[in-house]
Amino acid sequence: MAVEQFYSPVFISSASGQHDVQPGQALPDTLSSLLLGYPYAYTIAVAPPYASNGAHIGPAAINRNDVNAYVEDTWKINPQWTLNYGLRYELYTPISERAQRTSSFLNSFPPPGVGQEYLINPQPTYQTSWNGWGPRVQVDWNASHAVHVHMGGAITVIPPNIWQDNLLTGSTPYVVYPRVNAAQNGGIAYGFQITPNELPPVLTPLA
């Protein structure tokens, strides 16, 4: 558990004289820090220069295409029984991000002893699954006494959900969260801002 400690930049006298706060001494609560206008920490989300920043931080230019085709036939076996059968094929292209603002772990659950690798704009994004076959069949039975019974089944292809099953664009953009804390002998100055150009560059370590 992290404990935030606030320090006084000035001398604060108490009414009784028994609870004076000396410069650099810890403040008794966060209300005192607020009244003094003395922040404890400064935190901001900053994206690198090649990603969107400011009010537009976060948008991703996502693309995905799909192709569907099917064939079906109906066989009327007799006046009471009808068989309907078909085959559907669905192909979904991998999710892509045309503005190159993706980021993801190469392996979210590596084996023991193997570290995680974090990638920015990995290529290829996802592998294409060509096994999109969906057979289906239905039987209709015209029973007696005006009863019509339908029975059927199918195998259905479920495409990946862009936001729930997607770790690539669902976590974009790549963002750094700089944080500056006040120290006992040094406060946080007002009026400064950390810009994208001040972020440390991303490096690829050599094996």
Side-chain angles (χ1 to χ4, degrees):
M1 180 179 67
V3 178
E4 296 183 353
Q5 185 62 66
F6 302 84
Y7 304 98
S8 175
V10 295
F11 172 77
I12 304 176
S13 61
S14 63
S16 63
Q18 299 179 359
H19 305 285
D20 296 342
V21 178
Q22 302 296 327
Q25 185 177 348
L27 291 171
D29 48 44
T30 57
L31 176 60
S32 303
S33 175
L34 175 65
L35 295 175
L36 286 173
Y38 187 70
Y40 166 76
Y42 171 81
T43 304
I44 189 174
V46 185
Y50 50 81
S52 57
N53 274 278
H56 298 284
I57 192 170
I62 299 175
N63 284 38
R64 184 176 67 179
N65 302 314
D66 67 278
V67 178
N68 299 268
Y70 70 93
V71 293
E72 64 176 346
D73 191 20
T74 300
W75 176 26
K76 192 171 183 61
I77 303 174
N78 55 46
Q80 283 76 38
W81 292 91
T82 301
L83 178 65
N84 183 279
Y85 52 94
L87 179 64
R88 186 180 185 90
Y89 182 74
E90 302 179 38
L91 174 64
Y92 292 89
T93 61
I95 298 171
S96 63
E97 210 282 333
R98 60 183 179 273
Q100 299 182 354
R101 292 189 291 232
T102 60
S103 59
S104 179
F105 288 103
L106 182 62
N107 186 353
S108 300
F109 303 98
V114 178
Q116 287 184 325
E117 295 182 67
Y118 191 76
L119 305 179
I120 298 177
N121 190 34
Q123 297 295 327
T125 53
Y126 288 104
Q127 300 296 328
T128 302
S129 175
W130 300 94
N131 188 24
W133 300 102
R136 55 201 62 201
V137 63
Q138 176 180 296
V139 177
D140 292 341
W141 175 37
N142 283 322
S144 58
H145 307 292
V147 177
H148 196 179
V149 180
H150 298 274
M151 297 173 291
I155 297 177
T156 303
V157 177
I158 302 177
N161 185 284
I162 289 182
W163 303 113
Q164 295 178 355
D165 304 326
N166 170 30
L167 299 178
L168 195 69
T169 59
S171 59
T172 58
Y174 178 71
V175 176
V176 178
Y177 292 89
R179 179 180 175 89
V180 180
N181 292 342
Q184 185 172 2
N185 57 353
I188 298 177
Y190 283 95
F192 75 96
Q193 183 177 3
I194 300 175
T195 64
N197 293 327
E198 295 179 273
L199 296 179
V202 178
L203 303 176
T204 300
L206 301 177

